[in-house]
Amino acid sequence: MRRSHLVLLLLATCVAAAVACSAPRSRATTTIGVSMAYFDDNWLSILRDAMVEHGRTLPDVQLQFDDAQGDVGKQLSQIQNFIAQGVSAIVVNTVDSAATPKMTRLARDAGVPLVYVNRTPSDATLPDKVVFVGSDEIQGGTLEMEELARQMNYQGNVAIMVGELATHGARFRTKATEDVIAKYPRMKIVEKQVGNWQRERGLDLMNNWLTAGRSINAVASNNDEMAIGAIMAMQQAGLPPGKILVGGVDATPDALAEVAKGAMAVTVFQNARGQGVGAVDAAVKLAKGEHVDSFVWVPFELVTKSNYQSFLKR
């Protein structure tokens, strides 16, 4: 009896050891907290979807998204919550670029890698483990306005629709637009007003300008949403497509449809997928202790009726 008990005990021990050795090991997860300025913005939704899709291809990566709803205070709280949760890295699409020095300080003091995506931080320099992934806004505004100028034969009146003044993109796209117009003596700016990136505001601004009888040959919008609003106002006023040239930035699906119809003269492709994938990849590398350049640039690309079809699936 004693011997049989001993044999059974040895067998049980061996079986347990075999099971332990064959059991799958749990894999450590890289958790990335993502704070978006808005969830309900057309282009930012494409950016967020790109991050979600890319994250699904990385089995050891988990993304957690929060919507700041355009509130700087809420976004700062989200960053603090991510830090308290012990995330591996943080990605931020900022509500207000002016708040980025505080965000950078919070992440740096906590030792958590930080990636800004799309909206350029206002920090004079970025410290170690802090990265920006996005596009050069000056390039975007320049491409848009140079093409509008070409189609205007370098003469005429331009109205500018400005995004949110708190954002780097609005300020620098507008500056680029103004700089291009200043190059051509027969062109001038007759209107410049803030539309906050919104289609409804673009519609309202254009309605106001048309009602006031402003002489406008082209509308240079900081983004596609405001540009589409301007197109809607012109349609309501009975103006034929192309009567007033309209330009935008982002090359969203809605904008490409307007380019196809001839209602939008030009847009500039801002690669949401490239920025989203680049931000996630940068965050993962930083979390693993790998080096990433402080600025990861994703180029803008000009879109007109001659080449818009190549951007439909991008």
Side-chain angles (χ1 to χ4, degrees), residues 225-294:
E225 285 297 291
M226 294 185 296
I228 291 171
I231 291 169
M232 292 169 63
M234 288 187 287
Q235 290 171 342
Q236 293 173 7
L239 296 178
K243 176 69 175 179
I244 299 175
L245 298 176
V246 178
V249 176
D250 287 338
T252 63
D254 287 352
L256 293 176
E258 296 298 335
V259 171
K261 292 185 293 187
M264 186 177 289
V266 59
T267 184
V268 182
F269 178 65
Q270 184 175 195
N271 193 338
R273 178 164 181 78
Q275 291 187 22
V277 170
V280 172
D281 285 344
V284 171
K285 288 179 180 178
L286 290 172
K288 293 179 178 179
E290 299 177 19
H291 172 74
V292 179
D293 290 341
S294 296

Side-chain angles (χ1 to χ4, degrees), residues 37 52 56 72 80 100 126 131 134 165 173 184 234 239 249:
V52 171
R56 286 173 181 160
V72 175
Q80 291 170 324
T100 57
L126 297 180
V131 169
L165 289 175
R173 290 178 196 178
Y184 305 112
M234 288 187 287
L239 296 178
V249 176

Side-chain angles (χ1 to χ4, degrees), residues 76-94:
L76 286 167
S77 294
Q78 289 170 355
I79 293 170
Q80 291 170 324
N81 289 338
F82 286 146
I83 292 170
Q85 292 168 21
V87 298
S88 309
I90 298 172
V91 174
V92 177
N93 168 248
T94 62

Side-chain angles (χ1 to χ4, degrees), residues 148-149 152-158 184-188 217:
L148 281 175
M152 295 169 67
N153 197 27
Y154 304 100
Q155 60 182 334
N157 298 333
V158 181
Y184 305 112
R186 299 169 70 186
M187 292 177 62
K188 67 177 179 178
N217 302 107

Side-chain angles (χ1 to χ4, degrees), residues 7 12-13 24 70 129 145 176 180 207 239 268 270 276:
V7 171
T13 302
K129 295 186 179 180
M145 193 60 235
V180 170
N207 268 334
L239 296 178
V268 182
Q270 184 175 195

Side-chain angles (χ1 to χ4, degrees), residues 12-26:
T13 302
C14 290
V15 169
V19 170
C21 291
S22 63
R25 297 180 180 179
S26 60

